[in-house]
Amino acid sequence: MTSTHADEALARLHAVVPAGGAGTRLWPLSRAARPKFLLDLTGTGRSLLQGTVDRLRPLVGDRLVVVTGAAHERAVRRQLPGVAQVLAEPAPRDSMAAIGWAAAVLERQDPDALVGSFAADHVVLQDEEFQAAVREAAAVAATGLLVTVGIEPTGPATGFGYVAAGAALDGFPTARAVREFVEKPDATRAAAYVASGDYRWNAGMFVVGATRLLDLLAEHHPELAEGLRAVAADPGSLERRWPGLERIAIDHAVAEPAAAAGQVAMVPGPFLWEDVGDFAALASLRPRRPGTVTVLGEEDRVVVEDSSGLVVTGDRTVALVGVDDVVVVDTGDAVLVTSLARAQDVKAAVERLKRSGRGGLT
């Protein structure tokens, strides 16, 4: 990979930021009306969405497209006044429709465009390493491959899918072929994956030519590819066409079949990454000593005696006495109490609220 080729590829790269999902495992902090990507969860004064765009600007400048739900379009535009292209989905149709719509719009604007998809609600703690990985991914994508950025595991996590790496690609410093994408493993398989050194976490970061992505989609889901291109060609048809589009993730629609056909590459991402999927992940983002409490909000509202865990403050004082690894979240209209170990199960409480007719709280 020469510097010239990398620069040429990067000049073609447009960042697509899918901003969707309610973040139900972060309830009651994250709600359908104000999901986690609109929140400052890192204490930087910037929301996760703003942090994502800040991270991408040095790579793509103004070549940014944000895809969000119609209900969040106004909030997204308020947080990102400098982003000209915000696409608002009438209803959620999963990641393939969101990313494919942006790709179809960009294809019409620039037939040579490369698109890089980066979720709005993830955290990257080493921007320079992230940017180097994306730069290499763009150069690989310019050869016609679909490229994913695979996160180097910090342990045998069972909450992520994995990417199985194959042979190194000639002419690139770190890129490797992808043998397959594998679903979330059990603990034994996850440990084996990490020990092998050939597996990376699948963080859903993809870089590919806009036309190439849609052509790959057309091979496996022709009606979806045709519908997305039709919406891009005639934006006035959005409301009519969108409800009929297939609901499917980009991994299943394109990445997995393309990998089986030897058309996918992976660039390792040697940076710290977190998808902030639950309160345990949120707690890990804030430095704390063992046996202490991490506070998101006003620290003087929390009284601690021989306790540890995470507290998200509201208007009331929270006192913890003799509890370990507890999670307490106070949002005024709701209070969550759980443990760091059970943080993944918060979604079940949200589902129970919906079934009981109290979906307005979610």
Side-chain angles (χ1 to χ4, degrees), residues 17-24 26 29-42 45-53 55 66-80 86-87 89 118-123 275-276:
V17 180
T24 52
L26 288 173
L29 191 60
S30 178
R31 311 281 184 104
R34 190 166 174 76
K36 65 177 180 175
F37 62 82
L38 293 172
L39 305 178
D40 173 16
L41 298 182
T42 59
R46 303 284 282 172
S47 71
L48 297 184
L49 171 63
Q50 290 170 318
T52 299
V53 170
R55 187 163 55 248
V66 177
V67 187
T68 193
H72 304 127
E73 179 183 7
R74 184 175 298 179
V76 167
R77 290 188 182 277
R78 274 200 306 267
Q79 289 199 0
L80 301 175
V86 177
L87 304 179
E89 302 174 285
F118 307 95
D121 55 4
H122 293 179
V123 172
D275 74 342
V276 203

Side-chain angles (χ1 to χ4, degrees), residues 109-148:
Q109 296 172 359
D110 177 7
D112 293 327
L114 300 174
V115 296
S117 176
F118 307 95
D121 55 4
H122 293 179
V123 172
V124 171
L125 300 179
Q126 295 165 290
D127 285 359
E128 289 186 7
E129 289 82 353
F130 167 80
Q131 289 159 6
V134 174
R135 181 181 173 88
E136 181 178 351
V140 177
T143 69
L145 293 172
L146 171 65
V147 186
T148 185

Side-chain angles (χ1 to χ4, degrees), residues 52-288:
T52 299
V53 170
D54 292 345
R55 187 163 55 248
L56 291 166
R57 284 240 185 246
L59 293 164
V60 300
D62 293 332
R63 299 188 304 277
L64 282 154
V65 181
V66 177
V67 187
T68 193
H72 304 127
E73 179 183 7
R74 184 175 298 179
V76 167
R77 290 188 182 277
R78 274 200 306 267
Q79 289 199 0
L80 301 175
V83 174
Q85 293 200 86
V86 177
L87 304 179
E89 302 174 285
R93 306 308 297 162
D94 218 321
S95 59
M96 186 67 255
I99 297 166
W101 181 21
V105 169
L106 291 170
E107 178 187 46
R108 296 186 65 81
Q109 296 172 359
D110 177 7
D112 293 327
L114 300 174
V115 296
S117 176
F118 307 95
D121 55 4
H122 293 179
V123 172
V124 171
L125 300 179
Q126 295 165 290
D127 285 359
E128 289 186 7
E129 289 82 353
F130 167 80
Q131 289 159 6
V134 174
R135 181 181 173 88
E136 181 178 351
V140 177
T143 69
L145 293 172
L146 171 65
V147 186
T148 185
V149 178
I151 306 301
E152 293 185 6
T154 57
T158 59
F160 305 131
Y162 285 72
V163 184
L169 293 188
D170 290 339
F172 297 96
T174 68
R176 298 172 67 177
V178 168
R179 300 199 312 271
E180 63 175 341
F181 290 82
V182 293
E183 295 294 334
K184 297 175 183 178
D186 57 28
T188 301
R189 283 193 300 138
Y193 289 164
V194 174
S196 75
D198 289 331
Y199 288 79
R200 299 291 185 273
W201 288 337
N202 176 15
M205 300 181 188
F206 295 101
V207 183
V208 62
T211 296
R212 180 63 174 146
L213 175 62
L214 292 164
D215 287 349
L216 284 170
L217 181 61
E219 291 180 19
H220 306 286
H221 300 269
E223 292 184 0
L224 179 53
E226 181 183 358
L228 293 170
R229 279 173 159 151
V231 168
D234 179 13
S237 69
L238 173 65
E239 296 286 345
R240 172 170 54 85
R241 292 183 181 275
W242 196 261
L245 297 180
E246 181 180 3
R247 187 168 188 161
I248 188 171
I250 189 172
D251 305 70
H252 302 317
V254 170
E256 291 170 2
Q263 299 169 324
V264 180
M266 185 270 296
V267 171
F271 46 82
L272 294 176
W273 165 89
E274 180 56 68
D275 74 342
V276 203
D278 59 30
F279 285 109
L282 179 57
S284 73
L285 291 176
R286 299 296 188 99
R288 72 181 181 104

